[in-house]
Amino acid sequence: MAEIDACGLDEIDEEDLLRFDHGGHSYAIYRITGDEVYCTDGLCTHEQVHLEDGLVMEHVIECPRHNGRFDIRTGKALGAPVCIDLATYPARVVNGRVLVDLP
Amino acid sequence: MGLMKLITFPMDRSYSLTGPEAQKAVAAGLANADWYRTPVDRKRLKALMQRADGPALRDTALWLGLLGATGAAGIALWGSGWAVPVFLVYGVLYASAADSRWHECGHGTAFRTRWMNDVVYQIASFLMMRNPVVWRWSHARHHTDTIIVGRDPEISGMRPPQLIVIGLNFLGLVSVPQSFAALVRNALGRLAPDEADYVPDSERPKAVRAARIHMGIYGATLIACIAAGSILPAMLIGLPRFYGIWLLLVMGLPQHLGLAEDVLDHRLNSRTVHMNRVLRFVYWNMNYHMEHHMYPMVPYHRLPDLHEAVKHDCPPAARSLWAAWREIVPCVVRQLRDPHHFIRPQLPPGAGAPRYGPMGQAAE
């Protein structure tokens, strides 16, 4: 794992997400409130739709195509049509920058 | 691909999800493809997607209240001529209105609170005689591959159109036996080949359990009819799916009927129709159908706002149901002798290029 400087905290609205592409892989970085940030794989496990246009509600991300829902903190799939959990990665804020640990 | 591809229509086309068209759709890059969407600013879209319980609580209370009131009135007036108009209204509320509740709650957008979506989804699925598990997956596929032949299980206007079947279905005469048979099949632990194509193995036990619960309720209704020596219990449960479904077809068939197949642009295969407030209550704004397909996470009560946000990029909406059907009827009649024929909506000047096929292939 390597810690990557992904973006500035102020680039993500509260209760929103940002797409982040790195090393040929796509991720989603979420900001809930303040410095509370998370990182998951960017593609929904149902039909590989990118989550970047999805809706963040508290700690849930909803896929924009079929409303498959995942817990952002754990990646847990919260019911049909998603059955496979989302991979998550450690994320933190340092000096206004979002750092993520990626493989 | 391009426009010429669209009008190259094989006469022996199969709409089965397990037939040759399914393989062709995958090979052509039409399955699980990237669809055109009118760009909407992220902040505006995020505002449109926000969930609320209030509108759906109000509308559901009104719906169930009217359903209960007309049902009670039907019982009270049973045996008199006054029961006829009362049951006509009850039937529409039962079958035609349930479809949009099934739909919106299946998407999980009607309410903000998840369990409210789930409860209304289960009720509406039962009223529509739909297996809630099977149809959840069916509808997911419909959104992935809208009107892609061989992929979409919810194409109601095939070519050439089965006008007799469509006509009979205004009273549910084909669709209800089919739906009931599907529930029986599911209750016996079996899925049809098309159902098996989109329902994951892990979901099948849930589908079987749901079908058995539905069959149990229908069985109890039958017993109640026998015990009472009357069809009144079935007039309240089950039979409305026949006599109350007509309005859904009037409102719902224009969603896609007569429009293009095998394109990746909802502006070409979906139709928005302006309707009055009463119909929009029954239909929960699904008349904004093209907008719904572009952005399915926008709740029904924000679809008029979404319409305003994208209409500059879309064909003009039909002014009324009458206008929509005046466009559709000549088209489907012509399709009887010319299955290649379909309606090509005119995009406004400056609209995004229509997407006829996968990205990277020429648009016309």
Side-chain angles (χ1 to χ4, degrees), chain B residues 208-336:
Chain B
V208 172
R209 186 167 63 245
R212 288 175 179 169
I213 292 169
H214 285 205
M215 294 311 297
I217 299 171
Y218 289 124
T221 306
L222 179 62
I223 290 168
C225 286
I226 293 168
S230 165
I231 65 162
L232 179 57
M235 285 296 288
L236 295 165
I237 298 173
L239 291 180
R241 180 62 181 74
F242 285 102
Y243 67 78
I245 200 67
W246 61 272
L247 184 57
L248 171 61
L249 272 73
V250 173
M251 297 186 298
L253 282 175
Q255 289 178 351
H256 304 287
L257 199 55
L259 295 168
E261 295 175 340
D262 298 343
V263 294
L264 301 180
D265 193 330
H266 295 114
R267 299 174 301 172
L268 307 179
N269 71 7
S270 305
R271 183 184 280 107
T272 284
V273 182
H274 288 302
M275 294 185 192
N276 64 45
R277 289 179 67 87
V278 173
L279 291 180
R280 287 199 289 118
F281 165 75
V282 174
Y283 205 29
W284 263 13
N285 283 340
M286 267 307 106
N287 52 304
Y288 296 104
H289 206 67
M290 183 190 58
E291 293 85 348
H292 164 69
H293 268 283
M294 269 193 191
Y295 291 104
M297 285 182 40
V298 173
Y300 76 94
H301 52 88
R302 298 304 305 273
L303 286 177
D305 300 319
L306 178 61
H307 172 71
E308 291 300 318
V310 301
K311 68 180 184 183
H312 65 279
D313 192 46
C314 300
R319 295 187 312 278
S320 64
L321 266 174
W322 177 249
W325 279 102
R326 282 190 64 183
E327 176 183 66
I328 291 167
V329 169
C331 174
V332 295
V333 168
R334 181 170 164 184
Q335 284 177 343
L336 289 174

Side-chain angles (χ1 to χ4, degrees), chain A residues 3-101:
Chain A
E3 193 164 60
I4 309 294
D5 183 337
C7 60
L9 180 65
D10 58 4
E11 292 177 50
I12 317 175
D13 288 342
E14 293 194 334
E15 212 167 49
D16 206 356
L17 76 159
L18 188 73
R19 175 179 179 148
F20 177 62
D21 296 328
H22 176 77
H25 203 80
S26 196
Y27 303 91
I29 299 175
Y30 310 86
R31 180 183 182 192
I32 308 303
T33 55
D35 284 0
E36 187 181 359
V37 292
Y38 299 92
C39 180
T40 72
D41 271 343
L43 300 178
C44 177
T45 58
H46 172 218
E47 288 191 345
Q48 304 299 301
V49 173
H50 208 289
L51 298 169
E52 63 180 322
D53 291 327
L55 179 65
V56 178
M57 290 185 294
E58 297 173 353
H59 290 95
V60 173
I61 172 68
E62 235 178 39
C63 173
R65 184 171 285 182
H66 301 108
N67 305 57
R69 298 155 66 247
F70 301 93
D71 188 314
I72 291 164
R73 296 165 294 189
T74 62
K76 182 176 174 52
L78 298 176
V82 289
C83 304
I84 301 169
D85 294 348
L86 204 56
T88 60
Y89 307 92
R92 63 191 179 118
V93 177
V94 177
N95 297 328
R97 304 292 302 173
V98 179
L99 308 181
V100 291
D101 280 343

Side-chain angles (χ1 to χ4, degrees), chain B residues 82-150:
Chain B
W82 289 106
V84 174
V86 169
F87 272 109
L88 284 176
V89 176
Y90 176 82
V92 164
L93 291 165
Y94 182 109
S96 292
D99 175 76
S100 54
R101 277 69 185 171
W102 163 82
H103 178 262
E104 293 304 291
C105 294
H107 278 288
T109 53
F111 299 90
R112 180 181 174 88
T113 305
R114 189 71 189 181
W115 67 263
M116 294 182 187
N117 283 309
D118 293 340
V119 167
V120 175
Y121 180 73
Q122 293 295 333
I123 293 170
S125 295
F126 174 76
L127 300 184
M128 292 307 298
M129 211 174 275
R130 291 174 183 161
N131 187 315
V133 178
V134 172
W135 277 80
R136 189 186 291 279
W137 290 94
S138 159
H139 200 63
R141 175 68 71 82
H142 173 61
H143 271 270
T144 303
D145 298 323
T146 310
I147 320 296
I148 302 293
V149 177

